[in-house]
Amino acid sequence: MRLSSSPSLPEVAALLSNCGLPSEDIEPGLLSNFVAAKEGAALIGVAGLELKGTTALVRSIGVASSHRHRGLGANLLAAVEARAKELGVKEVFLLTNDA
């Protein structure tokens, strides 16, 4: 498994859909602040940031069902938190319906 940046919109949308998460409002410009986890060529996890000045919203943490309960979601969250820090973000928010 490896982490990379700027995944493609179609692969992000497909993974999020499989996770039951929305992707309709993710625009290509947001993807520069997304982190992807891949195993070979397959996208197995994704997390992103939506920036609003010095505030950021954590977007769309999704992990393929075959790779859950292994700490991948936590690793993705840590990666976007590190990205937020690099960008000078002062506050990070996460909205969730079930966690």
Side-chain angles (χ1 to χ4, degrees):
M1 193 261 319
R2 63 183 163 74
L3 293 180
S4 64
S5 58
S6 300
S8 75
L9 186 53
E11 66 183 348
V12 169
L15 177 64
L16 294 178
S17 177
N18 288 339
C19 293
L21 297 170
S23 63
E24 301 81 30
D25 62 336
I26 298 175
E27 299 173 6
L30 291 176
L31 294 175
S32 63
N33 290 314
F34 272 60
V35 176
K38 291 195 170 190
E39 190 169 77
L43 182 67
I44 58 171
V46 67
L49 289 174
E50 185 172 341
L51 303 176
K52 302 290 183 192
T54 60
T55 302
L57 174 65
V58 176
R59 292 288 314 251
S60 310
I61 299 176
V63 175
S65 60
S66 59
H67 288 77
R68 292 183 184 154
H69 308 291
R70 301 181 191 180
L72 181 54
N75 289 342
L76 289 165
L77 178 59
V80 293
E81 287 174 331
R83 175 78 175 135
K85 187 174 182 178
E86 289 171 6
L87 295 170
V89 170
K90 303 293 183 205
E91 294 181 292
V92 177
F93 293 90
L94 171 66
L95 305 175
T96 181
N97 293 330
D98 62 358

